[in-house]
Amino acid sequence: APSVTYMTEPPSTQNGPALSFLVSKLMACLHQLEQFQVKVHDLPGSSGGSSRGGNALKFFTTHQLKCQLQRHPACTTLKQWKGGPVKIDPLALVQAIEKYLLVRGFGKTREGADEDLSDDDNSDEEMEEQMASIMISATSMRHRLEFLIGDHVLPYNMTVYQAVKQYVCHGGTEVGDFSDGDTDTPFGNTSIWVQTHTIWYRPAVEQEENTATSPKKTKAESKGSKSSKKKDQRSGSPVIQPVLQNFLTDKLPNVTVQDSSLETVALLRVLHALNRHWSSMYDVSFLPSIVLPHSEFVSSKLTAKASRQLQDPLIIMTGNLPSWLPEIGQAAPFLFPFDTRQMLFFATTFDRDRAVLRLQQDQAGESSTHDSERVGPRLDRKRREVSRKDVLKQAEKVMEDLGGTTSARAMLEIHYENEVGTGLGPTLEFYALVSKELQRTDLELWRGDSIAATSPADPNMKVDYTQSPCGLFPLPLHRTAKAAHVNKVKIKFKFLGKFMAKALMDSRMLDLPLSLIFYKWILGQENSLTSSDLFHVDRVLARSFQQLENIVHQKKRICSDRSLTEEGRKQALSNLNMDGCSLEDLDLYFVLPGAENIELCKGGRDTQVTVDNLEEYLQLVLQWSLVEGISRQFDAFREGFETLFPLTTLQCFYPEELEQLFCGNSADVWDVRMLIDCCRPDHGYTHDSQAVKFLFEVLSNYTNSEQRDFLQFVTGSPRLPVGGFRSLNPPLTIVRKQPEGSDEPDSYLPSVMTCVNYLKLPDYSSIEIMRERLRTATREGQLSFHLS
């Protein structure tokens, strides 16, 4: 890879049209060359996408595969299965068979296993029922058994249905790969569901735990590596790794598929990186970011293929996406818009049930809703009761209980003590309340200003919360900080990691305004942070930093000016100043601005900043503000997050997109036309009803704060999901609230059913009364869930 060359003069940004022309020509070349396969199956008796999902779910939840488990002929060290044929859920993974056998003692290898009869053989009925109920997700467990059909070793994350379709022969002819659907129905040949299929088992070959990532290091090597890293960071000025270095290659990373368009995609990847990070090549800070908008790099053809593929329910349920899609999605995510990458993320990161559930939500419509209720995916739900007092401490306990894979896989539902409300509303509010509690100033987690505000748990109490116009970013920790304080902070960040991962798994929105640099850390970009990133952490510090950095640039120009005499050079350097003040007058020392207890180097309190050491001072300020001072917090965050799934799965997103992924939509324009399209009047109301027109008029004039209060009241969360009102599932439904007896509608407040986004709205006589009643309800009708 070529190295990055730094330039001292800012470039001209007039090359946008030329770059746009080049990108458009390469995109046309990509569309002509690419031959990426799309596997789509038209299910019998269906036409629309939503009913296809329902038909497929119904079929697979009412059919099972009959399999005979047999010890491999070459194996004599395992017990022989004597339980007869077992009925297996077709969407169970191959590793579910391993779990089924291991819990029955078939994983122990020993001599004389031929004579060892099982004492715990179950009846056929028991085994059929238990096997059909085992649905576990792919994990990084150490496997003790491996399975074969014929001579083919089965991947552990392959569904049993795929394995049977791909490797079992019928009448001497192999059924063929799942993608061959011209002569075979998507549900397979009838004989697949009638015949008994033999699956062999034998001891698995021993493998290193981390062979998929990197060779294991010895303890001494690991210790040496860590100490070397610390030494590099703490001795002298740190070296920032150029962000462009990883992109200037002629090959796509981790792409195994073959296609004639890959060289074109690789070149587009380089151009996209140059467009995004061009300012990093110049020794001038705080330059504009991109030249071309992201949309110019989106491939309409590949997006159409990906969307069609990701909306095929049979492909999603069997986890049989063509390999090109996740590989290109990771290596060149810019080719797809955010919505497509989000669909891909849910289809490939979590268990199949979650992927199907997400597909149904994306295909939200009346038919899909009914289908999902009737034959929805088998996703366990784990309900936890919490008190509204000290909700953060209880949330930590709830997340701690999600330690095991099985427990973490279940959908978390929250129920509050002494309240009858259950389901979606209380759960969404739980995530919002905990998000707010994590911003408390007394936790000492974030840098920013302390603002007193009403506690969401007690309207009569004021609590100090940390706020920052740049978003929340961790307070730096001194290397000699007290161990008790460091551990307290690390515990909170470990919890935050697990809390955010669980929210994303369950499609719950957080209400946590994090800095863009926090999201860069999540994506592992901390070693390429530059001074321009300071504006997303501390704007006051960034402005001062920029002025001081300008002095460094002036010094470099003076030192490289050969026309100056030695005396003239000294005079020019002595005249350098910041707003008329010399560096000596600024009285700066090698301590972290805003945290004078943190020395940037040994003896930093006594080392004054001068023209000669200014550049080193700025590098250390940058390193301690963005990397060194908060590395322990992010190590804890990463540890908590990855108890549920790897952070590397987020690499298909860009830092500025992660807030939308975790926190949903916060900038939706609520106009009347959008509300008409997205909301559903029912049970006494239509779009022509006066009350509905009043409501849309009131909502369209709401401020951001009023929008948050209304959403909290109706849905339980102050934020809408990605996509705004259009993605709210179920959609906001407005029904007529009938007064009792001779009472007037104007005397009633609106009420809600948060679990289904139901607004019960009286037929008010005027828009002014409706506006006032809604204001009262949204302010006072929160923090409890009761019958209405």
Side-chain angles (χ1 to χ4, degrees):
S3 60
V4 176
T5 302
Y6 287 93
M7 304 168 206
T8 57
E9 293 298 325
S12 169
T13 57
Q14 302 302 314
N15 296 323
L19 179 59
S20 179
F21 177 80
L22 178 57
V23 170
S24 65
K25 290 299 181 183
L26 285 173
M27 197 65 70
C29 181
L30 165 64
H31 293 168
Q32 183 175 1
L33 292 174
E34 70 85 17
Q35 296 293 322
F36 293 120
Q37 177 192 21
V38 176
K39 308 174 184 179
V40 176
H41 302 86
D42 297 320
L43 304 186
S46 63
S47 54
S50 58
S51 58
R52 284 168 53 196
N55 282 351
L57 273 175
K58 184 176 181 180
F59 183 91
F60 281 107
T61 51
T62 54
H63 287 70
Q64 293 173 326
L65 294 166
K66 188 183 294 185
C67 297
Q68 178 64 54
L69 305 179
Q70 289 191 11
R71 187 180 61 186
H72 196 271
C75 170
T76 59
T77 58
L78 291 175
K79 288 193 300 183
Q80 177 66 268
W81 176 259
K82 297 179 181 299
V86 176
K87 288 184 178 179
I88 304 178
D89 189 317
L91 299 184
L93 303 183
V94 169
Q95 70 180 28
I97 308 176
E98 180 183 31
K99 180 179 178 181
Y100 180 72
L101 290 177
L102 289 179
V103 297
R104 286 158 177 76
F106 283 83
K108 299 177 181 178
T109 58
R110 54 184 177 270
E111 297 299 326
D114 284 321
E115 291 77 26
D116 184 17
L117 299 178
S118 174
D119 295 327
D120 56 352
D121 288 339
N122 298 328
S123 67
D124 288 349
E125 292 78 7
E126 284 178 313
M127 279 183 266
E128 289 171 6
E129 181 180 351
Q130 291 177 29
M131 192 63 213
S133 68
I134 295 177
M135 290 285 286
I136 61 176
S137 60
T139 63
S140 57
M141 62 177 285
R142 182 186 292 275
H143 296 286
R144 293 165 60 184
L145 301 174
E146 71 177 6
F147 301 88
L148 302 89
I149 291 181
D151 295 328
H152 302 283
V153 177
L154 306 181
Y156 293 104
N157 63 347
M158 175 181 272
T159 62
V160 179
Y161 170 72
Q162 284 176 270
V164 170
K165 279 207 69 177
Q166 186 163 341
Y167 299 123
V168 173
C169 295
H170 295 284
T173 304
E174 188 171 309
V175 172
D177 183 75
F178 177 64
S179 61
D180 298 332
D182 295 335
T183 58
D184 189 22
T185 69
F187 293 137
N189 191 292
T190 306
S191 60
I192 285 182
W193 308 99
V194 175
Q195 293 187 7
T196 301
H197 313 294
T198 300
I199 297 180
W200 304 100
Y201 63 90
R202 66 187 182 191
V205 178
E206 287 292 326
Q207 294 180 341
E208 292 287 349
E209 277 187 54
N210 298 322
T211 51
T213 53
S214 60
K216 295 182 74 172
K217 296 181 180 179
T218 65
K219 189 174 182 180
E221 287 175 330
S222 178
K223 185 177 180 180
S225 173
K226 289 182 180 178
S227 63
S228 174
K229 180 180 178 183
K230 290 181 179 179
K231 184 177 180 182
D232 290 342
Q233 288 181 342
R234 295 176 181 176
S235 61
S237 302
V239 178
I240 295 176
Q241 299 175 4
V243 66
L244 271 173
Q245 200 73 50
N246 296 327
F247 297 96
L248 302 182
T249 62
D250 59 351
K251 301 291 183 184
L252 295 172
N254 303 317
V255 172
T256 62
V257 294
Q258 299 296 317
D259 191 81
S260 56
S261 67
L262 293 185
E263 289 185 351
T264 305
V265 174
L267 182 52
L268 280 168
R269 182 173 179 266
V270 172
L271 291 178
H272 179 265
L274 289 169
N275 179 68
R276 186 176 177 84
H277 304 294
W278 64 269
S279 61
S280 67
M281 293 189 296
Y282 294 86
D283 194 15
V284 179
S285 303
F286 309 103
L287 290 171
S289 53
I290 63 172
V291 178
L292 296 182
H294 171 74
S295 57
E296 293 211 26
F297 289 89
V298 173
S299 165
S300 57
K301 186 178 180 184
L302 290 187
T303 297
K305 280 191 170 186
S307 298
R308 191 175 180 214
Q309 188 69 90
L310 291 166
Q311 290 170 1
D312 186 287
L314 198 54
I315 291 289
I316 299 300
M317 282 186 286
T318 56
N320 196 37
L321 281 171
S323 58
W324 71 267
L325 185 48
E327 288 185 2
I328 298 297
Q330 284 279 344
F334 56 86
L335 292 173
F336 307 98
F338 173 80
D339 292 346
T340 303
R341 283 179 280 125
Q342 188 187 31
M343 291 168 59
L344 177 62
F345 170 77
F346 276 95
T348 56
T349 303
F350 306 124
D351 51 87
R352 306 284 162 75
D353 290 335
R354 267 187 172 77
V356 174
L357 185 64
R358 185 76 187 189
L359 176 63
Q360 290 178 331
Q361 292 173 347
D362 290 341
Q363 294 178 344
E366 195 164 335
S367 58
S368 66
T369 299
H370 295 327
D371 284 341
S372 65
E373 290 173 354
R374 186 173 64 250
V375 289
R378 299 172 181 176
L379 198 57
D380 294 334
R381 298 182 181 272
K382 189 174 289 295
R383 181 176 296 179
R384 289 287 182 265
E385 184 176 81
V386 300
S387 167
R388 290 185 177 274
K389 295 181 180 179
D390 201 0
V391 69
L392 179 57
K393 183 176 181 180
Q394 294 181 76
E396 290 178 289
K397 181 65 170 65
V398 169
M399 291 298 146
E400 187 180 333
D401 291 342
L402 299 178
T405 304
T406 303
S407 180
R409 180 178 175 271
M411 215 51 152
L412 177 64
E413 286 191 354
I414 297 297
H415 170 70
Y416 293 104
E417 285 182 2
N418 305 317
E419 297 179 23
V420 297
T422 61
L424 183 61
T427 304
L428 290 177
E429 190 196 57
F430 170 77
Y431 281 98
L433 288 177
V434 176
S435 297
K436 187 68 174 178
E437 285 295 287
L438 282 167
Q439 301 171 53
R440 284 188 356 228
T441 302
D442 62 345
L443 297 178
E444 300 182 67
L445 301 179
W446 313 105
R447 61 191 302 162
D449 300 319
S450 181
I451 306 293
T454 302
S455 168
D458 185 354
N460 300 316
M461 191 171 80
K462 291 285 186 178
V463 176
D464 289 336
Y465 296 99
T466 302
Q467 293 184 1
S468 170
C470 310
L472 298 175
F473 193 74
L475 269 173
L477 284 173
H478 192 271
R479 65 170 71 100
T480 60
K482 292 182 179 179
H485 175 66
V486 173
N487 288 335
K488 178 182 173 184
V489 170
K490 287 172 65 176
I491 286 172
K492 286 295 185 287
F493 274 96
K494 183 178 179 180
F495 161 75
L496 173 63
K498 196 165 189 177
F499 180 69
M500 290 180 67
K502 184 58 178 171
L504 190 54
M505 278 185 72
D506 290 357
S507 298
R508 308 305 188 208
M509 295 297 103
L510 301 176
D511 191 26
L512 202 57
L514 297 172
S515 165
L516 176 69
I517 312 307
F518 193 101
Y519 291 124
K520 286 191 175 184
W521 260 92
I522 286 179
L523 295 177
Q525 299 176 10
E526 63 273 16
N527 290 324
S528 60
L529 298 176
T530 66
S531 55
S532 60
D533 292 305
L534 275 178
F535 266 118
H536 300 288
V537 172
D538 188 327
R539 292 176 185 172
V540 175
L541 175 61
R543 281 191 287 268
S544 299
F545 196 98
Q546 183 178 12
Q547 290 177 296
L548 291 172
E549 211 168 27
N550 285 336
I551 295 178
V552 173
H553 298 321
Q554 292 176 46
K555 175 191 171 184
K556 289 181 177 180
R557 284 194 290 269
I558 291 171
C559 292
S560 61
D561 189 350
R562 296 181 179 180
S563 66
L564 292 174
T565 64
E566 186 64 26
E567 187 64 30
R569 185 175 293 108
K570 288 182 179 179
Q571 183 62 40
L573 290 175
S574 66
N575 290 334
L576 292 175
N577 65 80
M578 176 177 165
D579 292 335
C581 293
S582 66
L583 285 175
E584 288 74 13
D585 292 339
L586 292 175
D587 201 29
L588 296 175
Y589 292 84
F590 273 67
V591 294
L592 190 64
E596 279 68 22
N597 62 318
I598 298 180
E599 289 186 310
L600 300 177
C601 63
K602 188 174 182 179
R605 287 189 183 88
D606 302 318
T607 306
Q608 190 170 15
V609 178
T610 66
V611 171
D612 295 327
N613 61 20
L614 175 59
E615 185 172 10
E616 180 188 5
Y617 167 77
L618 292 179
Q619 289 175 336
L620 288 171
V621 168
L622 186 65
Q623 178 74 0
W624 266 96
S625 298
L626 302 183
V627 183
E628 178 76 3
I630 45 88
S631 60
R632 285 177 285 183
Q633 296 93 307
F634 273 102
D635 286 343
F637 175 89
R638 187 177 292 110
E639 181 184 353
F641 195 101
E642 294 195 333
T643 57
L644 298 185
F645 63 94
L647 276 170
T648 53
T649 58
L650 296 172
Q651 290 297 322
C652 60
F653 300 105
Y654 295 99
E656 64 272 16
E657 296 174 330
L658 289 188
E659 180 179 11
Q660 195 176 6
L661 188 70
F662 283 102
C663 301
N665 194 308
S666 60
D668 211 12
V669 177
W670 291 18
D671 57 54
V672 174
R673 171 51 54 190
M674 182 275 293
L675 293 167
I676 291 174
D677 292 341
C678 302
C679 301
R680 187 175 64 191
D682 206 349
H683 296 294
Y685 283 143
T686 67
H687 279 295
D688 294 325
S689 300
Q690 176 180 262
V692 174
K693 293 180 178 179
F694 283 167
L695 176 66
F696 291 163
E697 183 66 28
V698 170
L699 295 182
S700 65
N701 290 301
Y702 268 180
T703 64
N704 183 60
S705 176
E706 289 171 326
Q707 288 179 357
R708 287 173 55 86
D709 287 343
F710 177 78
L711 291 173
Q712 181 83 56
F713 175 60
V714 176
T715 71
S717 172
R719 288 176 177 257
L720 286 166
V722 177
F725 254 116
R726 287 178 173 81
S727 300
L728 194 61
N729 187 37
L732 176 61
T733 303
I734 308 146
V735 301
R736 186 168 183 168
K737 185 173 186 177
Q738 297 289 355
E740 297 180 4
S742 59
D743 293 344
E744 292 295 324
D746 289 353
S747 62
Y748 282 81
L749 289 173
S751 56
V752 295
M753 291 173 60
T754 56
C755 56
V756 288
N757 301 327
Y758 226 62
L759 174 62
K760 302 176 183 179
L761 187 69
D763 189 9
Y764 294 117
S765 59
S766 70
I767 192 172
E768 290 77 17
I769 292 176
M770 178 180 289
R771 184 179 291 110
E772 180 58 36
R773 296 292 184 269
L774 275 172
R775 182 182 295 113
T776 302
T778 54
R779 288 181 178 177
E780 299 181 6
Q782 297 186 21
L783 302 176
S784 63
F785 291 89
H786 297 285
L787 297 176
S788 62

